[in-house]
Amino acid sequence: MNLVEETPVNAGRAPVGRGPAASAGHAARASAGGRRPRNLPPDHTQAILEVTKEVAGVLKASGCPFALVGSVAAYAYGIPVRLQHDADFAVRREDAEQVTALLDEHGVEIVDPPEDWLVKGRRDGEQIDLIFALAGRPVTDELLGRAVTLPVDSVHMPVIEPTDLMVGRLAALSEHHCDFGALLPVARGLRERVDWGRVREETGEQPMAAAFLYLLELLDVVPRGPGGEEGRER
């Protein structure tokens, strides 16, 4: 994304109504080709964490099993990610009606999207996703049972197990969404806690997942898969 915008240079005249410092700044911008930086988008990290804690409290009170997933789950494992988008929770489809009703009672605006694998909500300007399927795979009791209880900004909650987190992130890669740069720090940070054999087995022959795993091998983040170099040459 281009973070600069064109600013026309007022050649031959100092800015009206400005002091010497402003004129000097104007001249500096002019000498840089008439460009000035645009403000970066605000950091949503703390706002998303507050919403995450609030929603987790409601889900815990519901008695329904759930797990924190997505970027906030990576954050819970100590990965230095910047939270910008939403808070994601995996829940069973059969619990959706109960948990959305409870969230609605607690002031969360519920939205039914066209997709049939999640429900969306909004709270204090931040988005919440209640997900019934991770990369096309239904959320099951088995997956939720493997979740690890971790503190998220001082509030304990179940967080998706590291191997399941990597499987879900790799399975979601496609020709239209293939950001290895965002995924690499997660893989590096979790590498000692991930069963990479199960990741390979569950992602199968998906080309984007296979390409990312090969990249991890080249960077010595993970050990070579079955077949080593011979398997790569075939």
Side-chain angles (χ1 to χ4, degrees), residues 6-58:
E6 296 290 346
T7 301
V9 179
N10 189 3
R13 291 189 297 166
V16 177
R18 299 179 183 175
S23 298
H26 179 81
R29 288 195 299 271
S31 64
R35 294 174 181 270
R36 60 182 174 84
R38 218 180 246 168
N39 290 333
L40 292 172
D43 186 355
H44 289 245
T45 296
Q46 193 57 46
I48 289 175
L49 290 176
E50 294 299 325
V51 168
T52 298
K53 294 186 291 184
E54 183 175 350
V55 172
V58 175

mmCIF file of all heavy atoms in Angstrom, residues 6-58:
data_model
loop_
_atom_site.group_PDB
_atom_site.id
_atom_site.type_symbol
_atom_site.label_atom_id
_atom_site.label_comp_id
_atom_site.label_asym_id
_atom_site.label_seq_id
_atom_site.Cartn_x
_atom_site.Cartn_y
_atom_site.Cartn_z
ATOM 1 N N GLU A 6 0.387 12.757 -2.994
ATOM 2 C CA GLU A 6 0.976 13.889 -3.699
ATOM 3 C C GLU A 6 0.542 15.201 -3.051
ATOM 4 O O GLU A 6 -0.625 15.390 -2.699
ATOM 5 C CB GLU A 6 0.519 13.868 -5.165
ATOM 6 C CG GLU A 6 1.002 12.640 -5.930
ATOM 7 C CD GLU A 6 2.494 12.692 -6.170
ATOM 8 O OE1 GLU A 6 3.076 13.766 -5.996
ATOM 9 O OE2 GLU A 6 3.061 11.655 -6.529
ATOM 10 N N THR A 7 1.474 16.126 -2.852
ATOM 11 C CA THR A 7 1.174 17.461 -2.356
ATOM 12 C C THR A 7 1.716 18.469 -3.340
ATOM 13 O O THR A 7 2.928 18.500 -3.583
ATOM 14 C CB THR A 7 1.836 17.696 -0.986
ATOM 15 O OG1 THR A 7 1.352 16.708 -0.081
ATOM 16 C CG2 THR A 7 1.518 19.081 -0.453
ATOM 17 N N PRO A 8 0.890 19.262 -3.970
ATOM 18 C CA PRO A 8 1.396 20.221 -4.948
ATOM 19 C C PRO A 8 2.324 21.221 -4.276
ATOM 20 O O PRO A 8 2.072 21.678 -3.158
ATOM 21 C CB PRO A 8 0.131 20.894 -5.494
ATOM 22 C CG PRO A 8 -0.901 20.662 -4.453
ATOM 23 C CD PRO A 8 -0.573 19.363 -3.816
ATOM 24 N N VAL A 9 3.409 21.563 -4.952
ATOM 25 C CA VAL A 9 4.382 22.531 -4.442
ATOM 26 C C VAL A 9 4.006 23.913 -4.942
ATOM 27 O O VAL A 9 3.853 24.134 -6.143
ATOM 28 C CB VAL A 9 5.808 22.143 -4.907
ATOM 29 C CG1 VAL A 9 6.804 23.167 -4.392
ATOM 30 C CG2 VAL A 9 6.154 20.753 -4.424
ATOM 31 N N ASN A 10 3.867 24.872 -4.005
ATOM 32 C CA ASN A 10 3.493 26.235 -4.364
ATOM 33 C C ASN A 10 4.775 26.993 -4.712
ATOM 34 O O ASN A 10 5.384 27.645 -3.862
ATOM 35 C CB ASN A 10 2.771 26.875 -3.165
ATOM 36 C CG ASN A 10 2.163 28.223 -3.538
ATOM 37 O OD1 ASN A 10 2.234 28.629 -4.693
ATOM 38 N ND2 ASN A 10 1.582 28.894 -2.549
ATOM 39 N N ALA A 11 5.231 26.840 -5.942
ATOM 40 C CA ALA A 11 6.530 27.371 -6.364
ATOM 41 C C ALA A 11 6.549 28.882 -6.244
ATOM 42 O O ALA A 11 5.629 29.570 -6.671
ATOM 43 C CB ALA A 11 6.831 26.954 -7.800
ATOM 44 N N GLY A 12 7.659 29.394 -5.649
ATOM 45 C CA GLY A 12 7.894 30.834 -5.651
ATOM 46 C C GLY A 12 7.241 31.585 -4.530
ATOM 47 O O GLY A 12 7.433 32.789 -4.408
ATOM 48 N N ARG A 13 6.389 30.953 -3.688
ATOM 49 C CA ARG A 13 5.720 31.671 -2.608
ATOM 50 C C ARG A 13 5.830 30.881 -1.319
ATOM 51 O O ARG A 13 5.663 29.672 -1.323
ATOM 52 C CB ARG A 13 4.253 31.909 -2.930
ATOM 53 C CG ARG A 13 4.019 32.898 -4.066
ATOM 54 C CD ARG A 13 2.559 33.240 -4.154
ATOM 55 N NE ARG A 13 1.771 32.051 -4.475
ATOM 56 C CZ ARG A 13 0.453 31.977 -4.362
ATOM 57 N NH1 ARG A 13 -0.240 33.008 -3.917
ATOM 58 N NH2 ARG A 13 -0.191 30.882 -4.694
ATOM 59 N N ALA A 14 6.067 31.549 -0.212
ATOM 60 C CA ALA A 14 6.031 30.887 1.085
ATOM 61 C C ALA A 14 4.582 30.698 1.483
ATOM 62 O O ALA A 14 3.707 31.458 1.062
ATOM 63 C CB ALA A 14 6.754 31.743 2.129
ATOM 64 N N PRO A 15 4.263 29.722 2.307
ATOM 65 C CA PRO A 15 2.885 29.523 2.739
ATOM 66 C C PRO A 15 2.380 30.737 3.493
ATOM 67 O O PRO A 15 3.055 31.252 4.381
ATOM 68 C CB PRO A 15 2.977 28.296 3.667
ATOM 69 C CG PRO A 15 4.266 27.624 3.307
ATOM 70 C CD PRO A 15 5.158 28.706 2.849
ATOM 71 N N VAL A 16 1.171 31.207 3.170
ATOM 72 C CA VAL A 16 0.583 32.394 3.777
ATOM 73 C C VAL A 16 0.207 32.084 5.216
ATOM 74 O O VAL A 16 -0.382 31.041 5.512
ATOM 75 C CB VAL A 16 -0.663 32.842 2.987
ATOM 76 C CG1 VAL A 16 -1.319 34.039 3.662
ATOM 77 C CG2 VAL A 16 -0.253 33.179 1.566
ATOM 78 N N GLY A 17 0.516 33.024 6.142
ATOM 79 C CA GLY A 17 0.077 32.880 7.517
ATOM 80 C C GLY A 17 0.891 31.890 8.309
ATOM 81 O O GLY A 17 0.450 31.439 9.356
ATOM 82 N N ARG A 18 2.081 31.506 7.864
ATOM 83 C CA ARG A 18 2.916 30.556 8.589
ATOM 84 C C ARG A 18 4.256 31.208 8.912
ATOM 85 O O ARG A 18 4.766 32.038 8.177
ATOM 86 C CB ARG A 18 3.141 29.285 7.771
ATOM 87 C CG ARG A 18 1.849 28.565 7.449
ATOM 88 C CD ARG A 18 2.136 27.341 6.636
ATOM 89 N NE ARG A 18 0.888 26.665 6.262
ATOM 90 C CZ ARG A 18 0.844 25.602 5.459
ATOM 91 N NH1 ARG A 18 1.945 25.117 4.949
ATOM 92 N NH2 ARG A 18 -0.311 25.039 5.170
ATOM 93 N N GLY A 19 4.855 30.750 10.013
ATOM 94 C CA GLY A 19 6.131 31.288 10.448
ATOM 95 C C GLY A 19 7.280 30.655 9.704
ATOM 96 O O GLY A 19 7.115 29.808 8.832
ATOM 97 N N PRO A 20 8.512 31.027 10.111
ATOM 98 C CA PRO A 20 9.706 30.491 9.441
ATOM 99 C C PRO A 20 9.807 28.989 9.536
ATOM 100 O O PRO A 20 10.229 28.328 8.598
ATOM 101 C CB PRO A 20 10.861 31.188 10.201
ATOM 102 C CG PRO A 20 10.261 32.407 10.814
ATOM 103 C CD PRO A 20 8.842 32.061 11.111
ATOM 104 N N ALA A 21 9.415 28.411 10.693
ATOM 105 C CA ALA A 21 9.523 26.954 10.838
ATOM 106 C C ALA A 21 8.624 26.251 9.844
ATOM 107 O O ALA A 21 8.997 25.258 9.222
ATOM 108 C CB ALA A 21 9.168 26.533 12.268
ATOM 109 N N ALA A 22 7.406 26.793 9.683
ATOM 110 C CA ALA A 22 6.488 26.183 8.728
ATOM 111 C C ALA A 22 7.033 26.308 7.321
ATOM 112 O O ALA A 22 6.915 25.393 6.504
ATOM 113 C CB ALA A 22 5.108 26.841 8.837
ATOM 114 N N SER A 23 7.635 27.483 7.022
ATOM 115 C CA SER A 23 8.191 27.667 5.687
ATOM 116 C C SER A 23 9.328 26.696 5.433
ATOM 117 O O SER A 23 9.470 26.150 4.347
ATOM 118 C CB SER A 23 8.692 29.113 5.539
ATOM 119 O OG SER A 23 7.628 30.033 5.681
ATOM 120 N N ALA A 24 10.160 26.474 6.494
ATOM 121 C CA ALA A 24 11.265 25.540 6.326
ATOM 122 C C ALA A 24 10.753 24.136 6.088
ATOM 123 O O ALA A 24 11.276 23.396 5.254
ATOM 124 C CB ALA A 24 12.154 25.575 7.579
ATOM 125 N N GLY A 25 9.684 23.775 6.824
ATOM 126 C CA GLY A 25 9.103 22.447 6.615
ATOM 127 C C GLY A 25 8.536 22.314 5.224
ATOM 128 O O GLY A 25 8.659 21.265 4.580
ATOM 129 N N HIS A 26 7.895 23.385 4.756
ATOM 130 C CA HIS A 26 7.352 23.369 3.404
ATOM 131 C C HIS A 26 8.468 23.188 2.385
ATOM 132 O O HIS A 26 8.349 22.407 1.442
ATOM 133 C CB HIS A 26 6.610 24.677 3.159
ATOM 134 C CG HIS A 26 6.018 24.779 1.782
ATOM 135 N ND1 HIS A 26 4.831 24.186 1.441
ATOM 136 C CD2 HIS A 26 6.481 25.385 0.656
ATOM 137 C CE1 HIS A 26 4.564 24.438 0.171
ATOM 138 N NE2 HIS A 26 5.551 25.159 -0.329
ATOM 139 N N ALA A 27 9.587 23.886 2.607
ATOM 140 C CA ALA A 27 10.706 23.781 1.671
ATOM 141 C C ALA A 27 11.284 22.377 1.683
ATOM 142 O O ALA A 27 11.666 21.845 0.640
ATOM 143 C CB ALA A 27 11.782 24.809 2.039
ATOM 144 N N ALA A 28 11.360 21.775 2.888
ATOM 145 C CA ALA A 28 11.896 20.418 2.971
ATOM 146 C C ALA A 28 11.020 19.438 2.217
ATOM 147 O O ALA A 28 11.503 18.544 1.529
ATOM 148 C CB ALA A 28 12.018 19.996 4.444
ATOM 149 N N ARG A 29 9.706 19.632 2.333
ATOM 150 C CA ARG A 29 8.802 18.740 1.593
ATOM 151 C C ARG A 29 8.948 18.969 0.103
ATOM 152 O O ARG A 29 8.894 18.040 -0.693
ATOM 153 C CB ARG A 29 7.352 18.960 2.044
ATOM 154 C CG ARG A 29 7.065 18.428 3.443
ATOM 155 C CD ARG A 29 5.564 18.344 3.688
ATOM 156 N NE ARG A 29 4.918 19.652 3.604
ATOM 157 C CZ ARG A 29 4.780 20.465 4.652
ATOM 158 N NH1 ARG A 29 5.269 20.129 5.831
ATOM 159 N NH2 ARG A 29 4.166 21.620 4.524
ATOM 160 N N ALA A 30 9.113 20.232 -0.279
ATOM 161 C CA ALA A 30 9.267 20.524 -1.697
ATOM 162 C C ALA A 30 10.530 19.885 -2.241
ATOM 163 O O ALA A 30 10.536 19.328 -3.343
ATOM 164 C CB ALA A 30 9.303 22.044 -1.917
ATOM 165 N N SER A 31 11.627 19.941 -1.434
ATOM 166 C CA SER A 31 12.868 19.358 -1.923
ATOM 167 C C SER A 31 12.774 17.849 -2.000
ATOM 168 O O SER A 31 13.550 17.210 -2.694
ATOM 169 C CB SER A 31 14.019 19.750 -0.991
ATOM 170 O OG SER A 31 13.816 19.191 0.310
ATOM 171 N N ALA A 32 11.844 17.260 -1.284
ATOM 172 C CA ALA A 32 11.651 15.804 -1.342
ATOM 173 C C ALA A 32 10.683 15.415 -2.438
ATOM 174 O O ALA A 32 10.169 14.306 -2.453
ATOM 175 C CB ALA A 32 11.145 15.289 0.003
ATOM 176 N N GLY A 33 10.403 16.347 -3.349
ATOM 177 C CA GLY A 33 9.534 16.021 -4.469
ATOM 178 C C GLY A 33 8.075 16.315 -4.193
ATOM 179 O O GLY A 33 7.187 15.816 -4.866
ATOM 180 N N GLY A 34 7.804 17.179 -3.158
ATOM 181 C CA GLY A 34 6.423 17.557 -2.892
ATOM 182 C C GLY A 34 5.601 16.455 -2.263
ATOM 183 O O GLY A 34 4.398 16.400 -2.453
ATOM 184 N N ARG A 35 6.239 15.552 -1.493
ATOM 185 C CA ARG A 35 5.503 14.454 -0.889
ATOM 186 C C ARG A 35 5.548 14.588 0.633
ATOM 187 O O ARG A 35 6.528 15.016 1.209
ATOM 188 C CB ARG A 35 6.112 13.110 -1.290
ATOM 189 C CG ARG A 35 5.973 12.812 -2.766
ATOM 190 C CD ARG A 35 6.729 11.532 -3.107
ATOM 191 N NE ARG A 35 6.629 11.230 -4.526
ATOM 192 C CZ ARG A 35 5.664 10.494 -5.065
ATOM 193 N NH1 ARG A 35 4.722 9.985 -4.306
ATOM 194 N NH2 ARG A 35 5.632 10.260 -6.369
ATOM 195 N N ARG A 36 4.474 14.181 1.308
ATOM 196 C CA ARG A 36 4.478 14.140 2.763
ATOM 197 C C ARG A 36 3.831 12.829 3.198
ATOM 198 O O ARG A 36 2.937 12.309 2.517
ATOM 199 C CB ARG A 36 3.728 15.336 3.357
ATOM 200 C CG ARG A 36 2.267 15.431 2.960
ATOM 201 C CD ARG A 36 1.648 16.693 3.567
ATOM 202 N NE ARG A 36 0.285 16.902 3.107
ATOM 203 C CZ ARG A 36 -0.776 16.327 3.650
ATOM 204 N NH1 ARG A 36 -0.646 15.490 4.645
ATOM 205 N NH2 ARG A 36 -1.993 16.592 3.181
ATOM 206 N N PRO A 37 4.277 12.256 4.320
ATOM 207 C CA PRO A 37 3.736 10.963 4.738
ATOM 208 C C PRO A 37 2.300 11.065 5.201
ATOM 209 O O PRO A 37 1.903 12.043 5.810
ATOM 210 C CB PRO A 37 4.651 10.554 5.902
ATOM 211 C CG PRO A 37 5.183 11.856 6.417
ATOM 212 C CD PRO A 37 5.288 12.761 5.234
ATOM 213 N N ARG A 38 1.552 10.063 4.903
ATOM 214 C CA ARG A 38 0.191 9.955 5.380
ATOM 215 C C ARG A 38 0.200 9.269 6.745
ATOM 216 O O ARG A 38 1.060 8.448 7.023
ATOM 217 C CB ARG A 38 -0.606 9.094 4.404
ATOM 218 C CG ARG A 38 -2.030 9.557 4.178
ATOM 219 C CD ARG A 38 -2.707 8.619 3.199
ATOM 220 N NE ARG A 38 -3.018 9.277 1.967
ATOM 221 C CZ ARG A 38 -3.390 8.651 0.868
ATOM 222 N NH1 ARG A 38 -3.426 7.353 0.836
ATOM 223 N NH2 ARG A 38 -3.680 9.320 -0.220
ATOM 224 N N ASN A 39 -0.726 9.584 7.611
ATOM 225 C CA ASN A 39 -0.795 8.932 8.908
ATOM 226 C C ASN A 39 -1.104 7.452 8.741
ATOM 227 O O ASN A 39 -1.962 7.071 7.944
ATOM 228 C CB ASN A 39 -1.876 9.584 9.778
ATOM 229 C CG ASN A 39 -1.489 10.975 10.221
ATOM 230 O OD1 ASN A 39 -0.306 11.280 10.339
ATOM 231 N ND2 ASN A 39 -2.468 11.832 10.457
ATOM 232 N N LEU A 40 -0.400 6.615 9.511
ATOM 233 C CA LEU A 40 -0.687 5.182 9.495
ATOM 234 C C LEU A 40 -2.008 4.924 10.196
ATOM 235 O O LEU A 40 -2.447 5.702 11.048
ATOM 236 C CB LEU A 40 0.433 4.423 10.208
ATOM 237 C CG LEU A 40 1.795 4.430 9.512
ATOM 238 C CD1 LEU A 40 2.845 3.812 10.425
ATOM 239 C CD2 LEU A 40 1.733 3.664 8.212
ATOM 240 N N PRO A 41 -2.679 3.800 9.881
ATOM 241 C CA PRO A 41 -3.922 3.488 10.574
ATOM 242 C C PRO A 41 -3.669 3.259 12.052
ATOM 243 O O PRO A 41 -2.580 2.841 12.446
ATOM 244 C CB PRO A 41 -4.405 2.200 9.884
ATOM 245 C CG PRO A 41 -3.281 1.719 9.071
ATOM 246 C CD PRO A 41 -2.332 2.833 8.859
ATOM 247 N N PRO A 42 -4.647 3.565 12.906
ATOM 248 C CA PRO A 42 -4.447 3.395 14.348
ATOM 249 C C PRO A 42 -4.247 1.929 14.705
ATOM 250 O O PRO A 42 -4.740 1.028 14.039
ATOM 251 C CB PRO A 42 -5.753 3.941 14.950
ATOM 252 C CG PRO A 42 -6.764 3.834 13.849
ATOM 253 C CD PRO A 42 -6.006 4.045 12.577
ATOM 254 N N ASP A 43 -3.505 1.701 15.791
ATOM 255 C CA ASP A 43 -3.270 0.351 16.281
ATOM 256 C C ASP A 43 -4.494 -0.099 17.079
ATOM 257 O O ASP A 43 -4.861 0.521 18.075
ATOM 258 C CB ASP A 43 -2.013 0.354 17.155
ATOM 259 C CG ASP A 43 -1.611 -1.050 17.580
ATOM 260 O OD1 ASP A 43 -2.354 -1.989 17.286
ATOM 261 O OD2 ASP A 43 -0.559 -1.191 18.208
ATOM 262 N N HIS A 44 -5.101 -1.200 16.646
ATOM 263 C CA HIS A 44 -6.312 -1.698 17.294
ATOM 264 C C HIS A 44 -6.016 -2.742 18.370
ATOM 265 O O HIS A 44 -6.944 -3.321 18.928
ATOM 266 C CB HIS A 44 -7.238 -2.339 16.244
ATOM 267 C CG HIS A 44 -7.888 -1.354 15.324
ATOM 268 N ND1 HIS A 44 -9.247 -1.130 15.295
ATOM 269 C CD2 HIS A 44 -7.368 -0.528 14.398
ATOM 270 C CE1 HIS A 44 -9.538 -0.216 14.394
ATOM 271 N NE2 HIS A 44 -8.411 0.164 13.829
ATOM 272 N N THR A 45 -4.750 -2.994 18.659
ATOM 273 C CA THR A 45 -4.401 -4.131 19.511
ATOM 274 C C THR A 45 -5.156 -4.117 20.835
ATOM 275 O O THR A 45 -5.827 -5.091 21.188
ATOM 276 C CB THR A 45 -2.884 -4.169 19.779
ATOM 277 O OG1 THR A 45 -2.200 -4.384 18.539
ATOM 278 C CG2 THR A 45 -2.531 -5.290 20.735
ATOM 279 N N GLN A 46 -5.064 -3.033 21.601
ATOM 280 C CA GLN A 46 -5.691 -3.025 22.924
ATOM 281 C C GLN A 46 -7.213 -3.072 22.822
ATOM 282 O O GLN A 46 -7.872 -3.739 23.635
ATOM 283 C CB GLN A 46 -5.246 -1.805 23.729
ATOM 284 C CG GLN A 46 -5.606 -1.895 25.212
ATOM 285 C CD GLN A 46 -5.034 -3.142 25.873
ATOM 286 O OE1 GLN A 46 -3.858 -3.466 25.681
ATOM 287 N NE2 GLN A 46 -5.846 -3.845 26.653
ATOM 288 N N ALA A 47 -7.779 -2.386 21.828
ATOM 289 C CA ALA A 47 -9.236 -2.420 21.664
ATOM 290 C C ALA A 47 -9.714 -3.835 21.360
ATOM 291 O O ALA A 47 -10.726 -4.290 21.906
ATOM 292 C CB ALA A 47 -9.653 -1.459 20.546
ATOM 293 N N ILE A 48 -8.976 -4.559 20.507
ATOM 294 C CA ILE A 48 -9.350 -5.933 20.172
ATOM 295 C C ILE A 48 -9.187 -6.837 21.387
ATOM 296 O O ILE A 48 -10.015 -7.724 21.638
ATOM 297 C CB ILE A 48 -8.536 -6.431 18.974
ATOM 298 C CG1 ILE A 48 -8.994 -5.712 17.696
ATOM 299 C CG2 ILE A 48 -8.661 -7.942 18.804
ATOM 300 C CD1 ILE A 48 -8.175 -6.027 16.466
ATOM 301 N N LEU A 49 -8.134 -6.623 22.182
ATOM 302 C CA LEU A 49 -7.944 -7.423 23.386
ATOM 303 C C LEU A 49 -9.089 -7.199 24.377
ATOM 304 O O LEU A 49 -9.563 -8.152 25.020
ATOM 305 C CB LEU A 49 -6.609 -7.090 24.042
ATOM 306 C CG LEU A 49 -5.354 -7.553 23.299
ATOM 307 C CD1 LEU A 49 -4.107 -7.056 24.016
ATOM 308 C CD2 LEU A 49 -5.324 -9.072 23.166
ATOM 309 N N GLU A 50 -9.549 -5.970 24.521
ATOM 310 C CA GLU A 50 -10.657 -5.705 25.439
ATOM 311 C C GLU A 50 -11.922 -6.429 24.994
ATOM 312 O O GLU A 50 -12.645 -7.023 25.806
ATOM 313 C CB GLU A 50 -10.907 -4.195 25.536
ATOM 314 C CG GLU A 50 -9.784 -3.399 26.182
ATOM 315 C CD GLU A 50 -9.508 -3.829 27.617
ATOM 316 O OE1 GLU A 50 -10.471 -4.188 28.323
ATOM 317 O OE2 GLU A 50 -8.327 -3.812 28.011
ATOM 318 N N VAL A 51 -12.203 -6.379 23.694
ATOM 319 C CA VAL A 51 -13.379 -7.083 23.166
ATOM 320 C C VAL A 51 -13.208 -8.591 23.326
ATOM 321 O O VAL A 51 -14.151 -9.302 23.676
ATOM 322 C CB VAL A 51 -13.603 -6.702 21.687
ATOM 323 C CG1 VAL A 51 -14.624 -7.625 21.037
ATOM 324 C CG2 VAL A 51 -14.060 -5.254 21.579
ATOM 325 N N THR A 52 -12.002 -9.087 23.083
ATOM 326 C CA THR A 52 -11.729 -10.516 23.245
ATOM 327 C C THR A 52 -12.039 -10.968 24.664
ATOM 328 O O THR A 52 -12.691 -12.003 24.880
ATOM 329 C CB THR A 52 -10.255 -10.814 22.914
ATOM 330 O OG1 THR A 52 -10.003 -10.484 21.549
ATOM 331 C CG2 THR A 52 -9.926 -12.284 23.147
ATOM 332 N N LYS A 53 -11.594 -10.220 25.652
ATOM 333 C CA LYS A 53 -11.833 -10.585 27.046
ATOM 334 C C LYS A 53 -13.320 -10.558 27.383
ATOM 335 O O LYS A 53 -13.827 -11.429 28.090
ATOM 336 C CB LYS A 53 -11.053 -9.646 27.963
ATOM 337 C CG LYS A 53 -9.540 -9.793 27.847
ATOM 338 C CD LYS A 53 -8.793 -8.951 28.869
ATOM 339 C CE LYS A 53 -8.904 -7.481 28.608
ATOM 340 N NZ LYS A 53 -8.078 -6.687 29.558
ATOM 341 N N GLU A 54 -14.012 -9.561 26.862
ATOM 342 C CA GLU A 54 -15.446 -9.453 27.147
ATOM 343 C C GLU A 54 -16.219 -10.626 26.536
ATOM 344 O O GLU A 54 -17.061 -11.244 27.203
ATOM 345 C CB GLU A 54 -15.982 -8.132 26.609
ATOM 346 C CG GLU A 54 -17.444 -7.896 26.931
ATOM 347 C CD GLU A 54 -17.924 -6.533 26.504
ATOM 348 O OE1 GLU A 54 -17.082 -5.695 26.124
ATOM 349 O OE2 GLU A 54 -19.149 -6.286 26.553
ATOM 350 N N VAL A 55 -15.929 -10.945 25.288
ATOM 351 C CA VAL A 55 -16.629 -12.041 24.624
ATOM 352 C C VAL A 55 -16.279 -13.368 25.290
ATOM 353 O O VAL A 55 -17.147 -14.219 25.505
ATOM 354 C CB VAL A 55 -16.287 -12.072 23.123
ATOM 355 C CG1 VAL A 55 -16.848 -13.325 22.454
ATOM 356 C CG2 VAL A 55 -16.833 -10.816 22.437
ATOM 357 N N ALA A 56 -15.013 -13.559 25.634
ATOM 358 C CA ALA A 56 -14.613 -14.798 26.303
ATOM 359 C C ALA A 56 -15.357 -14.973 27.618
ATOM 360 O O ALA A 56 -15.748 -16.091 27.980
ATOM 361 C CB ALA A 56 -13.107 -14.799 26.538
ATOM 362 N N GLY A 57 -15.564 -13.881 28.342
ATOM 363 C CA GLY A 57 -16.320 -13.966 29.590
ATOM 364 C C GLY A 57 -17.736 -14.455 29.368
ATOM 365 O O GLY A 57 -18.262 -15.286 30.127
ATOM 366 N N VAL A 58 -18.364 -13.952 28.307
ATOM 367 C CA VAL A 58 -19.728 -14.396 27.988
ATOM 368 C C VAL A 58 -19.736 -15.860 27.576
ATOM 369 O O VAL A 58 -20.604 -16.639 28.000
ATOM 370 C CB VAL A 58 -20.326 -13.514 26.871
ATOM 371 C CG1 VAL A 58 -21.697 -14.047 26.433
ATOM 372 C CG2 VAL A 58 -20.442 -12.067 27.328
#
